Each structure stands twice: as structure tokens, then as C-alpha cells.
Amino acid sequence: MIYFYLFVPLFVLFYFALRGFIRLDLKISLVVISLLCTSITLFVYKGLEGEENYKLINDKEILNRFIADQSPNKEQDALEVDRIILEIGSRDGVQAGEIYLLAKRLKGINENTLASQAFEQLYRNFPNELGGSVLAEYAQTMFLKEERAFNSKIEVVLDEALLKSPDNPSALTLQGLKELENKNIDLTIKLWTKALNFLENERDISELKVLIETVKKLKNQ
């Protein structure tokens, strides 16, 4: 399809550009030469992977539009973003940072399903290279995707996160929620109190303190 869009403007460009070099009474020759020049240009373009470059540019536009919430058709673009995530994950030579940046941007706009898929590609491609903070983000994103419910996959990733970064506040907070779900209130308080020591954002600290006090009241009932 890309060649159709390129053919017309290229043909017109060559036609008018060559008019000054070819006799005006040779209309048929001018058309033929313009067609030939256009065909050669497209052939070279394809040989230089122009179509692939166009696709990459188009995918980038889709991602930027989707993340900026400027999609004329949000559902259709979401499907395209899903495709892009899978293609990036299977691309030869893909870098961990490339996938992580995409996952982070999607997580930042609360597109947790798509962000979780991006983190999954990161996890599959670089299982031994991810630090505890990234794994904690992945577990947290899956938790939000599942509407704040735990499953075995979340628990596996969360355990890995705590093993690599036992002081990560996000992982500690999430583990505390898991223990609260299992009625282990004392352990929840212990984990959240520990997490307070590693939080830097005042709002996060304040919110976690409120949760701790709420759980303490629950314990004393």
C-alpha cells in the first residue's frame, strides 16, 4: 500500500521536472520516462528498506498519539499498540531499555493491560537482567491489571523482586497487601513500616501511614 501512496507524487514530480529537458511534442516519451524514473526510485527505496522505515515511523506516530490521548479511534489504536508491543519484543537486537520505556509510558497513563504486556516482553527477553525495581513495577502493573487481585504469576514476580531488592518500597507495599489478604495483619504492618523508610515522595509516605493506622485499628477490633 505504501508504494501506491508514493507512486503518484513521485510520478508527478518526475513528469514536471523532466518537461524542461524533453521536447514538449514527445508527450508519450515524457510519460514513459517519468514512469521509468518512478519505478526505479521505488525499487531503490524498497532495497534500502524504505518500507520498513516507513512502518517504524508510522508505529511511532501511533504510539505517541495513543499515549497523548489524541487517537481518533482509541480502541483501534489500542489493538495497534498491542501489535507493536509483540513486534518489538520479537525484534532482533531489541534493547531492554526500549521495551522498558514503552512499558513505563503505558503504565504512566494507566493503560495497565498494555503496560503489563510490555513488561511481559521485557521479562521474557531479559529474564536475568532485570533489577528488583523493574520487577516490582511489573508485579504492580499486573496487580492493577487484575483489578487489585493476586495470582500465581504476580506472586512469582513479586518474590523475585524482593529477592533482588528486599528494600524496594513498591515490592514491600505490594507484599504487605498480599499478607493482608491472607489475614497476616502483623506482617502487613511490619512490611509497610519498613517500606516507609525507603519512600521519598511525601504523598506516598502520608498515604502509607494512613493505611498502617487503618490496619492497626482493624487489628484491635
Side-chain angles (χ1 to χ4, degrees):
M1 194 64 178
I2 180 177
Y3 297 116
F4 173 79
Y5 290 125
L6 290 174
F7 182 87
V8 175
L10 280 174
F11 175 77
V12 173
L13 177 64
F14 279 119
Y15 183 86
F16 286 100
L18 292 171
R19 287 183 66 180
F21 299 95
I22 299 176
R23 289 168 50 191
L24 294 178
D25 59 333
L26 298 176
K27 298 294 185 183
I28 296 178
S29 298
L30 180 58
V31 170
V32 171
I33 293 174
S34 298
L35 285 171
L36 181 62
C37 290
T38 301
S39 299
I40 293 173
T41 301
L42 290 176
F43 179 78
V44 173
Y45 175 80
K46 183 178 181 180
L48 295 174
E49 298 184 341
E51 185 173 18
E52 181 63 24
N53 291 333
Y54 174 85
K55 186 174 181 300
L56 290 174
I57 293 171
N58 188 55
D59 286 350
K60 184 177 180 181
E61 289 179 355
I62 292 171
L63 285 172
N64 289 336
R65 184 173 67 213
F66 184 81
I67 291 170
D69 197 21
Q70 296 175 347
S71 299
N73 188 330
K74 190 80 172 181
E75 292 183 2
Q76 181 60 41
D77 273 356
L79 293 175
E80 288 296 307
V81 172
D82 181 54
R83 171 189 60 77
I84 292 168
I85 291 170
L86 293 175
E87 290 184 358
I88 289 176
S90 61
R91 185 186 302 160
D92 291 336
V94 65
Q95 301 295 312
E98 184 180 0
I99 304 176
Y100 176 69
L101 179 60
L102 176 57
K104 189 82 171 176
R105 292 178 72 189
L106 291 168
K107 181 174 180 283
I109 60 170
N110 298 316
E111 288 289 343
N112 295 305
T113 298
L114 291 169
S116 180
Q117 289 174 237
F119 274 116
E120 174 65 20
Q121 292 299 317
L122 184 64
Y123 187 74
R124 288 182 180 179
N125 280 277
F126 306 95
N128 300 318
E129 299 177 30
L130 303 184
S133 60
V134 176
L135 290 169
E137 283 187 89
Y138 179 25
Q140 184 184 55
T141 304
M142 284 193 290
F143 180 71
L144 294 173
K145 171 194 169 187
E146 298 298 328
E147 298 183 354
R148 300 179 181 275
F150 286 95
N151 58 36
S152 59
K153 181 60 181 291
I154 297 173
E155 292 175 0
V156 167
V157 175
L158 180 56
D159 287 344
E160 289 183 39
L162 286 168
L163 183 64
K164 290 188 174 183
S165 298
D167 296 333
N168 182 275
S170 296
L172 289 169
T173 302
L174 195 56
Q175 183 68 24
L177 284 171
K178 177 187 169 186
E179 297 302 336
L180 182 62
E181 188 177 274
N182 294 329
K183 310 298 183 183
N184 298 322
I185 296 178
D186 287 336
L187 185 51
T188 294
I189 295 172
K190 180 179 178 180
L191 288 165
W192 286 355
T193 301
K194 181 180 179 181
L196 283 175
N197 297 320
F198 304 101
L199 286 171
E200 298 179 354
N201 185 288
E202 289 298 325
R203 179 179 176 181
D204 293 339
I205 293 172
S206 177
E207 290 179 350
L208 189 54
K209 283 182 177 180
V210 170
L211 285 175
I212 291 172
E213 292 304 315
T214 301
V215 172
K216 284 181 179 180
K217 290 178 181 179
L218 181 65
K219 177 186 175 182
N220 295 328
Q221 286 182 353

